[in-house]
Amino acid sequence: MKQIYLSILSAIMLACSINLHAQDIMLHDLKAKKQKVSIGIKGGFNSAMMFTDKLSYGEQEITDIQNNYKVGYIATVFTRINLKKQHFIQPEISYAISQGSISMSNLRENATILEDNALIKTKMSSLEIPVLYGYKFIDSYPYGMSFFLGPKIAWTIKKQSSSEYSGFYQKNITENIRPLNYSAVLGIGVNISNIFFDFRYEIGCNNITQSVSYDKELTAEPYNEKKLTLKRRKNILSFSVGAIF
């Protein structure tokens, strides 16, 4: 008899637990429907790749260029505006540090242009504003998954950005990075309750190098007679973790 009572009591407790969990899901769904605007924060890592379209001294182009990625950091606050049928708009503001380099060998065709194996190391700090459109193709509490895409504009913080050149005949090379750069963003977000994981890829849409100059008086002839030209785009792969409220 005691075992029967215990079994009945256990069944009642289980039913109550299931009922409370169901009520919690219903309350969350009601809250989600009413909450049109959410605010979130996130932080993570990025990997920048400086894809080079052109690097030349005068009419002579430098070949066999290798793009090397480096790890950077990103911190973001954002607002999510929930629309109908699982659609949303998400404007963000981020502070990002991105680093990358390109290397060249002075063998073969480059031997007459480069003094040694050359390297260009770049570090960029920027304030970035993406405006993303997203769609939640999984939206069942506490799990969710969404796809998003949109444009991004980035303002380069000049005092915190630099490029270092080595292996060139030209001395004291200075690169001016464009103050405003543009890119296209696409990615996937996964959330468990209010914690989410963000994976995205950014495609650079413009040449980030405004101009390249060097000290012609310190540079030996004939390497001080022509213009040094660099055209490159910055593509970024990033991962971040955050919370949305």
Side-chain angles (χ1 to χ4, degrees):
M1 185 67 69
K2 186 177 180 180
Q3 291 181 349
I4 294 175
Y5 288 146
L6 289 174
S7 297
I8 293 173
L9 182 61
S10 298
I12 293 172
M13 292 178 67
L14 179 61
C16 290
S17 177
I18 293 173
N19 184 53
L20 288 172
H21 183 64
Q23 289 181 7
D24 182 59
I25 292 175
M26 291 177 65
L27 288 172
H28 178 273
D29 290 342
L30 288 172
K31 183 180 178 182
K33 289 179 181 179
K34 293 180 181 179
Q35 189 172 348
K36 296 296 183 181
V37 178
S38 302
I39 295 177
I41 57 173
K42 64 175 183 173
F45 304 92
N46 63 44
S47 174
M49 291 155 281
M50 306 290 180
F51 289 107
T52 305
D53 297 318
K54 182 179 181 180
L55 177 55
S56 63
Y57 172 66
E59 299 299 323
Q60 294 179 289
E61 288 203 24
I62 299 173
T63 59
D64 295 328
I65 298 173
Q66 181 177 343
N67 301 293
N68 309 303
Y69 70 88
K70 288 189 175 183
V71 175
Y73 310 94
I74 186 169
T76 302
V77 294
F78 64 87
T79 298
R80 177 173 293 183
I81 304 169
N82 295 300
L83 307 176
K84 295 181 179 180
K85 297 183 179 180
Q86 299 175 300
H87 300 269
F88 63 88
I89 299 296
Q90 185 167 302
E92 303 178 353
I93 182 167
S94 304
Y95 172 73
I97 298 174
S98 55
Q99 304 179 87
S101 67
I102 55 177
S103 56
M104 301 133 278
S105 169
N106 70 333
L107 301 176
R108 300 178 183 176
E109 297 87 352
N110 297 336
T112 59
I113 310 173
L114 300 176
E115 184 177 24
D116 199 351
N117 294 334
L119 181 67
I120 303 175
K121 296 192 295 183
T122 301
K123 177 181 178 182
M124 295 178 63
S125 296
S126 56
L127 291 176
E128 304 176 347
I129 302 178
V131 179
L132 306 175
Y133 156 77
Y135 176 74
K136 306 172 190 175
F137 53 89
I138 296 177
D139 190 18
S140 179
Y141 182 79
Y143 307 108
M145 182 175 288
S146 59
F147 168 80
F148 53 84
L149 54 83
K152 186 186 80 171
I153 182 171
W155 176 66
T156 304
I157 303 175
K158 189 174 182 180
K159 292 182 179 180
Q160 299 179 17
S161 303
S162 62
S163 290
E164 181 182 335
Y165 286 66
S166 61
F168 291 81
Y169 282 107
Q170 291 74 29
K171 305 301 179 183
N172 295 339
I173 299 174
T174 302
E175 178 183 353
N176 291 319
I177 297 173
R178 291 188 186 278
L180 291 177
N181 294 292
Y182 309 91
S183 60
V185 179
L186 57 96
I188 290 178
V190 179
N191 71 278
I192 302 173
S193 188
N194 67 325
I195 305 299
F196 71 91
F197 305 90
D198 185 303
F199 308 86
R200 63 179 62 183
Y201 187 65
E202 301 175 15
I203 303 170
C205 298
N206 69 297
N207 174 25
I208 66 171
T209 302
Q210 190 170 33
S211 63
V212 179
S213 59
Y214 61 92
D215 192 326
K216 294 187 177 182
E217 293 184 0
L218 294 180
T219 302
E221 296 181 354
Y223 305 105
N224 61 353
E225 300 173 354
K226 300 177 182 178
K227 184 179 179 181
L228 196 60
T229 302
L230 174 60
K231 294 182 180 180
R232 56 177 173 167
R233 295 167 289 111
K234 183 178 68 171
N235 288 16
I236 298 177
L237 181 66
S238 65
F239 165 76
S240 59
V241 178
I244 186 168
F245 310 98

